[in-house]
């Protein structure tokens, strides 16, 4: 037979375990509140910089736009400050994404190689035969039509007229 384990020893063991869990939970809680306070501090700093930059922006906009700028600012009314804050936060988030992801515009060599590869595929007569055999010609045609349509819509928007240019 096994020797009997006193119940008090079992209770003390459970108490120590519970105390250890409470301590680890407390340390996690304090760690998260510290990062939350840092986040709040960063948000307050961002808000202060937004207010400063917004003031500069509106002053320059008023100089540039004159009375029309005053009317536009009055139309925004109480929405002006929240709108500018949201735009600044969006700008900061996009800036962080840009830095974290290591985004950068392509260099000239990469653009040239992409266009050279595309041109070599398009100028190859075997590509048309492969498209016919695989049934992909219709899909390529639809993509081309979409690209042409987007180009024409851009032209219409640029001309500010559906047909022709206004020569007044």
């Amino acid at each position: 037979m096994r020797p009997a384990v006193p119940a008090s020893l079992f209770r003390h063991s459970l108490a120590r375990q519970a105390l250890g869990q409470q301590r680890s939970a407390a340390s996690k809680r304090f760690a998260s509140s510290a990062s939350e306070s840092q986040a709040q501090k960063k948000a307050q700093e961002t808000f202060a910089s937004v207010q400063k930059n917004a003031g500069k922006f509106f002053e320059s906009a008023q100089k540039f736009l004159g009375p029309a700028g005053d009317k536009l600012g009055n139309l925004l009314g109480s929405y002006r400050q929240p709108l500018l804050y949201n735009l600044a936060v969006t700008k900061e988030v996009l800036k962080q994404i840009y830095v974290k992801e290591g985004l950068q515009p392509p260099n000239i060599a990469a653009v040239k190689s992409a266009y050279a590869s595309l041109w070599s595929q398009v100028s190859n007569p075997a590509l048309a035969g492969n498209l016919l055999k695989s049934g992909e010609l219709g899909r390529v045609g639809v993509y081309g039509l979409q690209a042409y349509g987007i180009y024409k819509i851009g032209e219409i928007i640029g001309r500010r007229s559906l047909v022709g240019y206004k020569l007044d």
Side-chain angles (χ1 to χ4, degrees):
M1 268 218 271
R2 287 167 74 204
V5 176
S8 62
L9 181 64
F10 184 66
R11 274 185 259 138
H12 288 298
S13 168
L14 286 177
R16 273 186 261 139
Q17 249 182 348
L19 183 61
Q21 288 174 353
Q22 285 177 344
R23 285 182 182 161
S24 67
S27 67
K28 288 178 186 175
R29 188 188 79 218
F30 291 132
S32 67
S33 64
S35 64
E36 287 173 8
S37 67
Q38 289 174 348
Q40 287 176 343
K41 184 183 257 185
K42 176 70 175 165
Q44 289 173 348
E45 290 172 0
T46 303
F47 184 68
S49 69
V50 165
Q51 283 182 328
K52 186 176 80 173
N53 291 336
K56 290 178 184 178
F57 172 74
F58 277 113
E59 287 175 10
S60 63
Q62 283 177 342
K63 288 178 185 176
F64 180 71
L65 297 174
D70 291 336
K71 289 180 183 178
L72 180 65
N74 291 337
L75 286 176
L76 289 176
S78 63
Y79 294 112
R80 183 172 77 184
Q81 192 172 15
L83 179 69
L84 289 175
Y85 176 74
N86 289 337
L87 289 173
V89 168
T90 303
K91 181 185 104 177
E92 290 296 321
V93 168
L94 291 176
K95 189 189 308 180
Q96 288 178 5
I97 291 171
Y98 187 84
V99 170
K100 294 275 184 186
E101 294 293 325
L103 300 176
Q104 61 185 2
N107 57 13
I108 300 296
V111 172
K112 284 183 180 179
S113 68
Y115 278 113
S117 170
L118 181 65
W119 183 253
S120 68
Q121 288 179 359
V122 170
S123 62
N124 186 1
L127 177 69
N130 289 339
L131 289 176
L132 278 174
K133 288 179 187 174
S134 66
E136 292 287 319
L137 190 60
R139 180 179 289 172
V140 170
V142 168
Y143 290 156
L145 187 61
Q146 286 177 348
Y148 180 72
I150 291 170
Y151 170 76
K152 292 306 277 183
I153 289 171
E155 269 195 342
I156 291 168
I157 292 170
R159 287 191 309 244
R160 292 187 175 95
S161 172
L162 188 59
V163 180
Y165 289 96
K166 293 182 181 178
L167 299 175
D168 296 336

